[in-house]
Amino acid sequence: MAAIIDVQHVHKAFGGLKVINDCSIQVEQGSITGLIGPNGAGKSTLFNIIAGALPLDSGHILLDGEEITNQPANQLFHKGLLRTFQIAHEFSQMTALENLMMVPPAQAGESLFNAWFKPSRVMLEESEVRRRALEVIDFIGLHPVRNELAGNLSGGQKKLLELGRTMMTDARVVLLDEIAAGVNRTLLGDLVSNIERLNREMGYTFLVIEHDMDMIARLCDPVIVLAQGSVMVEGSIEEIQNDPRVIEAYFGAAS
């Protein structure tokens, strides 16, 4: 299958410290690809470069064959490349439903002219956005708390809400950053099931940074291991777990 994300020979340094060193990875369209490695391997930095949060020093990043090198996150959003965060970024004083309704860009109601002179258009669009948001709320299992302030949700519910936000757009690739962090095992099961459904039923491609190896084992194929800013090895979770280099660099480092 074709690579929807193609990272080519990327370098990134902070001062004299090289964090990403001639790193190249490919994420196949329709895959759930895992990105793991010991602390300091460069995972978060590479993630932030792909997501448009950090500029690279040299190299190229392509999205479905289109050059997106150093494009900011807001431009990538409109191209269908989105990310979630390790710490959820909800609008705490808005309800869960309202959080989802905020996502679609360029809504008619954002224009004062439309609000004054085209109220019927604004109401029609808002009704459609609300309908879609309710569908998403049902999909992610948050219907019972749809009218709860997002700030009052549990950590796991906030992560589900973040995943739901990606469904309010024309997402093609979703970057998941430590989505299991701070989530209880029950809600983590819901998260994993929703990711699998989005991949299977809607064709989402995922790139996942995660320390929960059980989650990586269930979700991801292939798995890419970074070490010292470069790709050490790529393969199935079984190949990764039995690779002596990974045991030494990753699992050994964690023990």
Side-chain angles (χ1 to χ4, degrees), residues 96-113:
L97 183 63
E98 289 168 341
N99 266 260
L100 295 184
M101 292 179 66
M102 285 286 292
V103 174
Q107 296 185 46
E110 297 173 13
S111 165
L112 189 59
F113 177 86

Side-chain angles (χ1 to χ4, degrees), residues 198-211:
L198 287 169
N199 174 253
R200 180 177 63 251
E201 298 175 15
M202 300 186 181
Y204 279 35
T205 299
F206 289 97
L207 178 61
V208 184
I209 289 181
E210 188 51 66
H211 282 103

